[in-house]
Structures are given as structure tokens and as C-alpha cells.
Amino acid sequence: MKIITAVKGMQDMLPGDAEKWKFVETICKNNAQLHGFSEIRTPVVESTELFLRGVGETTDVVQKEMYTFEDRGARSITLRPEMTAGAVRAAIEHGLIRDSLPVKVFYIASCYRAEKPQAGRLREFHQFGVEMFGTSAPQADADVISIAREVIDDLGIDNVSLELNSIGCKECRSEYHVKLREYFRANEDRLCETCKSRLERNPMRILDCKSPVCQGICEHAPLMIDSICPDCREHFEGVKSCLDAMDIEYSINPKIVRGLDYYTRTVFEFVSKDIGAQSTVCGGGRYDGLFEEVGGPKMPSLGFAMGLERILLTMEAQGIEFPPHDPPLLYLAPVGKAATALCAKIAREIRMSGVTAEYDMVGRSVKAQMKYADKIGVLYTVVIGDDEIAAGTAKLKNMEDGEAEEIQIDAIADRVCEIGIGGSFGRLTELLEGFSAMGNLAEIAGAEENPLDLTGLLDFEDKE
Ligand code: ATP
Ligand code: MG
């Protein structure tokens, strides 16, 4: 039969990769939380209307890249191509913006765009993003930018520069549009078809076109930054001095316009020098008109979205090491049914204390089990067979130095938990943080009044 493969442009995240993703996501979440942002999760599909209005009808995303479906003939729905529109919709729908402002949310989410798949450009990809609703103060722009900077730095990534621009407000932009139209009209016949249609409606979109011919034409186009009004200029100066105060380096790139129609004032990109053409790892800016565009109140806001595939590509290009995956602390190798049941019981007890343990899931020989334990990189092993059960003791072997200690079988769980708690095991550390907050740490560490109850275990074999 024909083998079924993943849909073009969509990637599996396999074990091993998933650990890397988890690491990146943890750094993203930590930094968002340090700035007081809370997580938001919205549906993968939204009404198509939301993106037409919330991304903009003259954007590449809406004109070429959306996965749009008829919902059983009832209405048009679209797989989210980005998260901002959904977050804004949710904030309006649930009255989040009625509470004290600003509202600060972050997300890590899959997004969908029907693009030509290539390195750093997929049809399903993932974004970490933050949104701050309800402030026009320049320090908000700098604060949002600093989150992206901190994430990139915390991941150990070098060579990613911040490029900044201001594209003004509705008022100063209309004057600029006149200049821009005039400039592009002189080259109209060379523009691509999409850009021709943009000329009247939104000439700034042409600056963001990917076609090399259009890009060439844009080379000498008038710059927005030269036309911004005094208020926008003052805002931009405010953003820059706040970035300066935070020691965040940037360069001004007057060519940045960003992909959405409703960006105003500050726009920015973080650009990686190590991943080729798809080099923008993060893009964002202000969208002071977006809430009104989707039917909400006036609500100056801003945010960014970071492409996590491109972040991971950069990390790989720079040879950045990911924290190792924690192996299980103990592997119990049973021989026979009674021993299997006993190992099940011990493993369960260890796990209930927050320490990792595995035992044989296949029914293999001791030799094969040891090979497996070695492969998964386990730190301790113990073999339990009839002899060990009869003696009530077994050998707990340290796989790193090969040393073995004779141990009472009913003390294995306590001993292993003691080692686990003394060491720094990922899952355990997380758990301990929770417990120590509850003042329960001493109780777990000295879990002595929990002797193993072997009653009934040996009956198991009899029943077979
Ligand atoms: P580009 O110019 O590369 O097409 P964009 O302007 O369409 O980017 P945004 O809509 O601003 O991108 O999305 C924010 C970030 O999400 C981008 O900077 C990028 O890192 C990532 N991104 C966007 N589209 C894709 C995609 N198809 N595959 C992977 N990552 C993507
Ligand atoms: Mg794009």
C-alpha cells in the first residue's frame, strides 16, 4: 500500500526535536512572564473576515497565502496566518480591554500560510509573540522590543541585529502616499500585477513586495521616515532614547514597512546573518488602528511575532548546544512475573515522589534489558529476579562508575528518591520548586514512613 506522508510544507516535531522546542519555548515564556505578560490561546480557525480586516486586503498574506475553507457551506473560515488578529478579536469579544490597561498577552502558536516551502519558510510554522493593548507611550515600544532581544540573547544566539523604523500615522502617511504614488507611476508598467493593484489602494505595500523587479524599483523610492509628522517624530525619539537607556543596540532601516496593513509608527525586525534569505527571525510594531479596524474601540497597541523555526535554524547554524535531555534515573530489570510486578510497584512509588524510573515493557532477557538501559542513558540499574526476591536484597548499580551497592529491595524507592532529590533532575527540580513553595520539601526528602508492601505480589504468579 502507498505510504502516507506529511502534507507539503508541514513538519513533524520528533522526539529529540521536541526537547529543543521545549527549551526555546521555556525561554520565550519566562521572558514574557518577567515583563508581566499572560498567555493567551485562541482557535486555529477564525472567520475569514477577521483576517481581511485585521491583516489587510492588500497584504501578501491575504492576497496569496491564506488557507480558506467553506465551513460546510455555511461561511468562510481561515486557518490563522498569524496570531495578532485573533488576540485582538478575543480581547474585544471578552472585554479584556475594559480592565486596567495595558492588557499584556503572549502566545506560542502554529500558523498557516500557503507559501512555497523552502528553508525557513513553511506552510505550518510556529510563532512566539507578545501583544500590548491600550498604550501609545514610547516606553511600551521599547519594552516589547526588549522582550525579543532578551529571548534571542538568552538562547545564546549571536549576530542578530535589531532594525528600527517609523512609518508614521494615518495623518502623515496620506501625504507620503501621494509622493509614493507619484514615484511608482513613473515605473508602473514594470511593477508586478499585484503591485499594480496596490498602487491606488496602498502604495506602501509595494515596498514589501518580494519580486526582484519591484524591489529594484523600490530602491530609490521616497522614504516614510522623511515625511513623518512632529508627533510621530517625537514618539520615535522617545522609543530610541528608551532603547538607549536599556543598552539595546539598533540601527535605523528606513526600508522596513512590515507585512500588515495596520502598522503605525514604530516597526522593527530582528535579522539573523546566518540563515540565508529568510533572515527575519522576528518582526513587529505598533498597530494603533487595528482595534477599530475589527470593530473595537480606539486602542493604541503593539506587538511582535518571532518565527521559531527560523530561531532554531539560527541556533543550529551557530552550533548552539541544547540542554541535554534528562535520562531516567533508574531502570529496573525484572526477571519473571513476580519480579515484574514488584518492579512495577517500586517504579510507581518512585515516580509518585517526582523521580523518573522505568522498567521492562517488552519482556526481554536481562542482557537485552541492560542494552536498552545503556541506550537510554539511565543513571542507575537494578536487576530483580527470584534470587533477589528470596534474599530481599538486590544490587543498585551506578552506570557511570560501575559501582554497585547491595540494597534491601524495600529500600530501593527511598534510596533512589534520595539520589534524585540530591541531584538536579529536570522534572524533579520543577516538582520540588512547587513543593518547597508549599513547605513540603522535608517531607518528601525524608519519605521514610513508606515501607514497601510486598503482600499479595507473589500471588500474582500463582494466578497465571
Ligand atoms: P517574510 O517577509 O519572511 O515573509 P512576514 O513579514 O510575512 O515575513 P510576519 O507576518 O511578520 O512575517 O511574521 C513574523 C515572523 O514569523 C517572521 O519574521 C518569520 O520569522 C516568521 N514567519 C513568517 N512566515 C513564515 C513562514 N511561512 N515559515 C516560517 N516562518 C515564518
Ligand atoms: Mg511573508
Side-chain angles (χ1 to χ4, degrees):
M1 240 199 275
K2 196 177 146 223
I3 292 173
I4 299 169
T5 56
V7 171
K8 188 177 169 192
M10 314 226 169
Q11 281 181 343
D12 295 308
M13 233 178 259
L14 300 175
D17 296 338
E19 302 295 329
K20 295 180 183 174
W21 278 86
K22 191 179 159 203
F23 171 65
V24 171
E25 287 168 7
T26 304
I27 300 272
C28 292
K29 277 186 191 168
N30 279 351
N31 280 294
Q33 280 161 356
L34 285 172
H35 288 251
F37 286 65
S38 311
E39 185 167 2
I40 188 166
R41 298 186 190 192
T42 59
V44 172
V45 288
E46 298 274 358
S47 299
T48 303
E49 176 81 16
L50 175 70
F51 301 117
L52 299 184
R53 283 156 57 183
V55 176
E57 297 197 40
T58 58
T59 57
D60 270 359
V61 169
V62 167
Q63 291 188 322
K64 305 175 189 166
E65 299 168 1
M66 295 212 299
Y67 281 106
T68 297
F69 307 89
E70 281 271 294
D71 183 6
R72 291 154 208 268
R75 60 173 185 162
S76 176
I77 54 172
T78 295
L79 292 183
R80 60 184 177 211
E82 52 97 57
M83 279 290 289
T84 306
V88 166
R89 180 209 38 80
I92 297 169
E93 188 171 335
H94 304 287
L96 299 187
I97 43 178
R98 281 200 301 265
D99 295 339
S100 44
L101 297 175
V103 170
K104 302 192 282 186
V105 293
F106 79 89
Y107 57 81
I108 294 173
S110 59
C111 297
Y112 303 84
R113 297 185 191 178
E115 304 202 64
K116 189 167 162 254
Q118 52 198 289
R121 198 176 288 288
L122 292 144
R123 292 186 170 176
E124 180 184 67
F125 62 100
H126 297 79
Q127 291 185 335
F128 159 64
V130 310
E131 314 289 350
M132 200 190 284
F133 303 146
T135 168
S136 51
Q139 65 269 29
D141 305 44
D143 193 64
V144 161
I145 290 171
S146 71
I147 299 176
R149 179 81 274 170
E150 284 152 19
V151 166
I152 292 166
D153 291 349
D154 280 1
L155 289 170
I157 297 175
D158 286 329
N159 273 333
V160 172
S161 54
L162 166 60
E163 300 183 359
L164 198 63
N165 191 22
S166 173
I167 54 170
C169 59
K170 230 175 169 171
E171 281 70 46
C172 50
R173 213 183 292 168
S174 57
E175 195 187 310
Y176 174 62
H177 278 180
V178 173
K179 286 191 209 167
L180 208 53
R181 262 191 215 105
E182 211 170 284
Y183 173 83
F184 283 126
R185 277 221 184 88
N187 300 285
E188 190 172 349
D189 44 343
R190 285 166 56 224
L191 290 174
C192 73
E193 288 310 309
T194 320
C195 285
K196 276 183 190 144
S197 75
R198 288 164 167 165
L199 190 52
E200 279 314 309
R201 294 170 69 193
N202 194 346
M204 253 173 86
R205 282 269 65 79
I206 302 174
L207 299 172
D208 206 35
C209 183
K210 301 272 185 318
S211 132
V213 180
C214 295
Q215 272 180 15
I217 298 171
C218 293
E219 197 94 339
H220 302 289
L223 301 171
M224 181 67 225
I225 192 90
D226 297 331
S227 303
I228 62 175
C229 65
D231 282 354
C232 288
R233 170 86 45 207
E234 191 187 328
H235 184 270
F236 194 45
E237 293 307 317
V239 177
K240 289 194 288 180
S241 51
C242 202
L243 289 172
D244 292 338
M246 290 193 284
D247 263 338
I248 294 177
E249 282 179 30
Y250 54 85
S251 59
I252 307 297
N253 179 354
K255 293 256 155 75
I256 298 178
V257 293
R258 304 288 313 129
L260 305 172
D261 271 355
Y262 302 107
Y263 275 108
T264 47
R265 295 191 162 171
T266 317
V267 287
F268 60 89
E269 290 184 352
F270 283 85
V271 182
S272 167
K273 295 186 182 61
D274 296 305
I275 53 171
Q278 270 51 254
S279 57
T280 305
V281 294
C282 174
R286 243 182 202 286
Y287 43 85
D288 289 346
L290 180 56
F291 271 79
E292 288 161 288
E293 212 59 54
V294 296
K298 187 166 173 49
M299 185 66 48
S301 301
L302 67 155
F304 70 68
M306 187 178 278
L308 296 184
E309 281 79 5
R310 293 186 195 176
I311 286 286
L312 279 149
L313 279 177
T314 308
M315 292 176 76
E316 264 149 36
Q318 297 184 0
I320 292 170
E321 301 235 345
F322 291 86
H325 171 47
D326 292 333
L329 186 56
L330 176 68
Y331 180 85
L332 298 126
V335 185
K337 290 204 176 89
T340 301
L342 179 53
C343 288
K345 183 182 169 66
I346 299 171
R348 179 162 157 80
E349 192 155 333
I350 293 170
R351 293 161 182 165
M352 278 163 64
S353 297
V355 176
T356 48
E358 283 191 33
Y359 66 99
D360 178 46
M361 287 290 117
V362 182
R364 287 189 177 116
S365 69
V366 176
K367 200 175 155 209
Q369 289 193 57
M370 284 303 134
K371 218 169 137 188
Y372 172 80
D374 201 44
K375 195 168 162 232
I376 61 173
V378 66
L379 299 177
Y380 287 85
T381 56
V382 61
V383 177
I384 302 179
D386 290 344
D387 292 350
E388 283 78 11
I389 292 177
T393 61
K395 287 204 173 69
L396 183 66
K397 186 174 171 193
N398 180 329
M399 298 294 279
E400 264 165 356
D401 58 18
E403 298 279 314
E405 64 181 276
E406 186 85 18
I407 187 167
Q408 294 287 322
I409 289 178
D410 60 9
I412 293 175
D414 282 358
R415 174 78 185 109
V416 168
C417 289
E418 201 180 283
I419 297 167
I421 286 163
S424 58
F425 288 86
R427 261 151 292 184
L428 182 72
T429 316
E430 274 166 34
L431 192 87
L432 284 182
E433 275 159 16
F435 275 109
S436 67
M438 286 153 45
N440 253 345
L441 187 55
E443 212 175 292
I444 313 181
E448 264 152 30
E449 23 348 304
N450 236 341
L452 278 178
D453 178 9
L454 298 182
T455 341
L457 278 175
L458 293 170
D459 300 345
F460 181 76
E461 200 164 33
D462 298 341
K463 278 183 219 133
E464 288 297 306

